[in-house]
Every structure is written in C-alpha cells, then in structure tokens.
Amino acid sequence: MTDYPEIAAHVARDVKDGKLVEFREDGLYRHVEFKAQQGWSRIILVTWPYNLLVAGSHGSYHFERFGPDTEDMFDWLRGIRVEPDRWASKLVNGADSVREYDQKRLVDQVKAEVAEAVKDGAPRGLRAAVREQILESDRLHSRDWAMQMVYDFEHGVTYRSECSCGASKDHADQNSAYTWEFYKHPVQRLDGEHEVKVREIGGFAFSDVGDWALDKVNYHFAYQCHAASWAIAQYDAARKQVAA
C-alpha cells in the first residue's frame, strides 16, 4: 500500500525504461540524473550534507533535515514507504508550499458527519438539506465558499434563552433567542441581577469545522516523491554493479 497510488502508478509507467544519464559523486556531494528513453520524463537528485534537491520534469523541491542519521539524505529515504504528506514537512519552503484544497476530502467529511448524525437520530430531511445546500452547489470548487457553506449550515436547530432568575424561552432561530433578553425579558426593568445565556438545544450543525483536514499535496510534488524513491533504488543498484 502506498500514498497516492494513482500517481505512483503514473511514475512507474514513466520510468519503466529510465536510464542513468549523468552521475557525479564526491562523498555526500552528488548529481544523479535519470531520463526515460521513450518520453520526456527525467529526474535529477542533488545532495549535499543534510540537503536533497529533487528536480526534473515535475518541478524542483528542496528538502533539508538535520539529524544524526540524515547527513546523507539518501539514507533518510532509502527503502522507506513514500509518504508525500509527511515528507512535505521537510521542505525548505514549508509544507504549505505544496498543499492544495481537496474538494473530495470536504465532501467525504460532510457525508461522514451527516451519516453519523442520521444514525444518532438527526432531524428528518437532513440528508436532503445537505445535498441541496452544500453537495449540489457549484461553489464547492472554492475552499472559501465551501467552508462558508459548511459553517453556515443548520437544520432543525433550536435555541434556548435562559435567565439566571429561572425564566427561559425556546426559539426557532438564533436572532430571536438573543433579542428575547431585550424585548420579552428586559433585564433593565428588573433588579439588575439577571444574566441571560443562549444555547443550542436541538437540530444539526457541523462541528469543529476549523479542524477538518481538507488539504492534500499537489500532483507534481507527490510525483517527484515517488520518482525520487525510484531513483535512489536505481542509484543503489548501479553502485552495486560497479562494486561487483
């Protein structure tokens, strides 16, 4: 099992006839280049202590990682599972430089929360309301619009205004709940010891939306991660042949 399997398969097709076309090495200082014979794909690896530059047909990415086992950056990646999301944290430009909004992740998160709510007895019509107001929207492609729709969505939510004096009132909308203090239970006409609070008591709204993980690394970065893993394996094989 690998991360981004479709991209991994694409890399495998591109490099199946890849050949080592340039090799320069002086200790941990390397310049290694491979090129596909039947296509335009090429991958270049440049190393110096604690640094790795992956370049070629799908962009350039500079990794830096200081540690007791990373002076040779090939040792860091040699033989491990390709995990672009984790590797992005080692980029000199930061992980955000290769991340992008993933609409599918948002849709999957919305569907998962709705399914859980329905199982727990959410108000009737929740699925239809979510489908109409969010999932069928032509604005889902925009992260900002999509998040705003999710933040604003409510279905069957009711609110309760509660006063410290014991009085309370249920409302169908939040605005009525907050204005109750001034128009239906005006504390200024009472003894001044009244404190009114408003809370949700029913219905459905999405929770912890700000914590949703909606980003993925972009195609080109994931491609270069898989290509770099392949290239290091080819480099090791070439070194063994020379040693033999």
Side-chain angles (χ1 to χ4, degrees):
M1 183 64 180
T2 184
D3 291 355
Y4 301 89
E6 292 182 359
I7 298 176
H10 188 182
V11 173
R13 291 194 300 270
D14 285 350
V15 302
K16 64 182 179 181
D17 63 347
K19 300 293 183 182
L20 179 63
V21 296
E22 186 168 353
F23 178 79
R24 285 178 283 162
E25 184 173 44
D26 181 8
L28 299 181
Y29 296 84
R30 306 184 184 91
H31 180 111
V32 184
E33 182 173 349
F34 294 85
K35 187 178 187 306
Q37 302 303 296
Q38 300 300 319
W40 61 276
S41 293
R42 65 191 179 102
I43 179 73
I44 301 167
L45 303 180
V46 179
T47 66
W48 61 101
Y50 307 104
N51 287 267
L52 166 66
L53 176 67
V54 180
S57 303
H58 287 267
S60 300
Y61 303 96
H62 179 187
F63 297 90
E64 185 176 62
R65 188 168 186 260
F66 292 98
D69 60 343
T70 59
E71 184 177 12
D72 183 353
M73 289 290 280
F74 277 12
D75 286 344
W76 170 45
L77 299 181
R78 185 174 277 120
I80 67 172
R81 177 185 176 192
V82 179
E83 298 180 279
D85 288 296
R86 291 187 60 189
W87 293 9
S89 66
K90 307 307 178 185
L91 286 169
V92 170
N93 288 339
D96 287 345
S97 66
V98 296
R99 295 197 186 283
E100 61 186 18
Y101 163 62
D102 185 358
Q103 179 177 325
K104 182 179 182 301
R105 293 191 184 193
L106 179 133
V107 170
D108 289 345
Q109 184 73 35
V110 166
K111 289 182 176 179
E113 292 220 1
V114 169
E116 186 68 23
V118 169
K119 185 173 67 174
D120 293 340
R124 295 184 61 181
L126 175 60
R127 289 186 188 275
V130 169
R131 183 170 58 251
E132 178 182 350
Q133 297 180 42
I134 298 178
L135 298 181
E136 293 180 351
S137 172
D138 59 2
R139 294 177 172 178
L140 277 181
H141 67 279
S142 164
R143 180 193 182 95
D144 291 341
W145 276 113
M147 292 297 286
Q148 192 63 53
M149 288 189 292
V150 172
Y151 272 120
D152 292 343
F153 181 84
E154 291 182 350
H155 182 71
V157 175
T158 54
Y159 300 87
R160 177 168 294 167
S161 304
E162 298 176 315
C163 182
S164 57
C165 72
S168 65
K169 176 68 175 178
D170 293 346
H171 309 268
D173 64 89
Q174 192 176 48
N175 185 61
S176 296
Y178 280 106
T179 57
W180 174 78
E181 174 182 350
F182 301 100
Y183 298 106
K184 302 296 184 181
H185 189 65
V187 297
Q188 65 269 27
R189 296 207 302 264
L190 299 173
D191 57 18
E193 297 298 324
H194 298 251
E195 181 181 358
V196 175
K197 295 182 179 180
V198 175
R199 63 186 178 91
E200 294 181 9
I201 59 172
F204 174 85
F206 291 100
S207 60
D208 301 321
V209 177
D211 295 332
W212 289 7
L214 302 179
D215 292 336
K216 65 178 180 180
V217 300
N218 65 48
Y219 173 87
H220 294 290
F221 177 72
Y223 185 104
Q224 290 295 69
C225 288
H226 283 283
S229 179
W230 173 86
I232 291 172
Q234 298 302 306
Y235 162 85
D236 287 342
R239 287 289 302 273
K240 286 182 180 179
Q241 287 184 350
V242 171

